[in-house]
Amino acid sequence: MSIAMRTTLLRSSVVAATTALCAAISTLPAQALDAQWCKDVHIRFFVGGAEGDAFGTIVYNGAKQAAADLGPKVDYIFSQWDVEKMVQQLREAVAVKPNGIAMMGHPGDASIMPLAEQAHKDGIKMMYQNVPVPKVVAAFGGGYVGAQQEQQGRALGAEAFKLGGLKAGDKAIMIGPFENENRGARERGTVAALKEAGVEVIQLSSPPSGEWASDPNLAIPVITAALLNHPDVKAVGYPGGQMLGNVPTYMQAAGRKPGDIFNFGFDTSPQIVEGFKGGWVQLTADQQPFLQGYLPILSLCQQVVLGLAPMNVDTGAGFVTPQNYEIVSELAKQALR
């Protein structure tokens, strides 16, 4: 066979092989990106709070939108922000052996670790939202969608000091789950930033069961007593949108008027928008909970169907103040922001 003929045959073989390979590859994204391309995937999604919860509802709406867009079968788990309940529900979720689980990180590394290990052994893909569990992720994989707790907490403390016109020697109250290793990092960060600026901080520990988040009115006696015992407090910080949205009730119970105290915290909601409008709330850190619902489901679908690596997304978006709250007010009223 001549060299010319062998060259022609070689070229023909390469072209044919390349064409076949391209045809095979091209079918993958076409199939994957069809509408409802994740329809064969089963996911258990942890919403965090109770049904109707101010923060949890936005997370839930994000997750529901992802399910509608992508098509997976999703079981929604409500936990009333009770960390012990979350652990038990995670144990049940792993036993069901879904394709993926999107888990709130509130119970912390130590509590989640053995269940994450079992999920890993069973081939269950994991995502975590709202509270990071870095030791779990390092040991058994998974991704995280949410704000970085300590970083966001410190940033809020510095912003509260600046916008609240605080100075060294002033008093502030900070409420939070300080003893929770992972979840409490945010509020501990806020306390640290304020103390470093010279502010005297009175810490009020919220119950580990999450009952103040589920029913913010339960905190009225504690907050009222703290304000009565420390009448010179200039600022009060709250650990979540449920309590921040209840600020008018706390202040009125303590005999305070709008603007008497610089009230600040985390998240947005219709109640917080009204708090800004009425002059009761002065600052909040937005962590975009809609993304904490949508992106974990998207990432689990991508991991299971496409073999992609898990997402890691910092949703901390910045601050909402009396000067800019109207920009997010309509979306907050729709439980989307």
Side-chain angles (χ1 to χ4, degrees), residues 63-152:
K64 290 282 285 185
Q65 187 62 56
D69 290 348
L70 308 173
K73 178 184 182 295
V74 181
D75 304 324
Y76 299 98
I77 311 300
F78 298 89
S79 310
Q80 290 77 43
W81 303 113
D82 185 330
V83 294
E84 292 183 3
K85 187 172 185 177
M86 286 184 189
V87 172
Q88 178 57 34
Q89 290 171 328
L90 178 58
R91 185 175 293 109
E92 294 166 358
V94 172
V96 171
K97 297 185 179 179
N99 301 108
I101 298 173
M103 174 65 183
M104 287 278 172
H106 294 65
D109 284 296
S111 295
I112 292 176
M113 187 73 76
L115 297 172
E117 181 178 11
Q118 185 61 51
H120 180 73
K121 290 178 180 177
D122 292 341
I124 301 170
K125 303 298 184 184
M126 296 294 298
M127 285 292 295
Y128 302 94
Q129 59 264 12
N130 196 242
V131 176
V133 281
K135 295 177 183 177
V136 168
V137 170
F140 300 111
Y144 173 66
V145 178
Q148 294 300 318
Q149 297 285 292
E150 182 179 6
Q151 178 181 323
Q152 189 183 42

Side-chain angles (χ1 to χ4, degrees), residues 139-212:
F140 300 111
Y144 173 66
V145 178
Q148 294 300 318
Q149 297 285 292
E150 182 179 6
Q151 178 181 323
Q152 189 183 42
R154 278 185 164 274
L156 179 66
E159 194 74 2
F161 182 82
K162 180 176 68 175
L163 296 186
L166 303 178
K167 58 184 184 299
D170 284 344
K171 285 185 180 179
I173 291 173
M174 188 66 208
I175 306 163
F178 300 107
E179 295 179 1
N180 185 313
E181 179 185 1
N182 294 65
R183 171 61 187 85
R186 187 172 69 178
E187 286 71 21
R188 292 196 300 270
T190 302
V191 169
L194 289 171
K195 285 185 174 180
E196 288 166 9
V199 175
E200 180 184 342
V201 183
I202 300 142
Q203 296 180 219
L204 300 181
S205 293
S206 54
S209 61
E211 60 190 55
W212 286 3

Side-chain angles (χ1 to χ4, degrees), residues 54 241-249 251-252 258-259 263 267-284 320-322 324-334 337:
Q242 303 89 344
M243 295 186 71
L244 187 62
N246 209 39
V247 159
T249 300
M251 293 298 105
Q252 289 167 1
N263 289 292
D267 310 329
T268 58
S269 70
Q271 294 79 15
I272 292 172
V273 167
E274 290 303 311
F276 276 115
K277 187 181 297 184
W280 297 103
V281 175
Q282 284 72 40
L283 172 67
T284 187
V320 180
T321 68
N324 66 10
Y325 80 91
E326 292 182 349
I327 296 173
V328 302
S329 62
E330 287 306 312
L331 290 174
K333 290 175 182 177
Q334 297 174 46
R337 182 69 183 271

Side-chain angles (χ1 to χ4, degrees), residues 3-19:
I3 294 176
M5 185 177 292
R6 285 200 300 270
T7 302
T8 300
L9 288 173
L10 179 59
R11 286 174 178 170
S12 298
S13 299
V14 170
V15 170
T18 302
T19 302

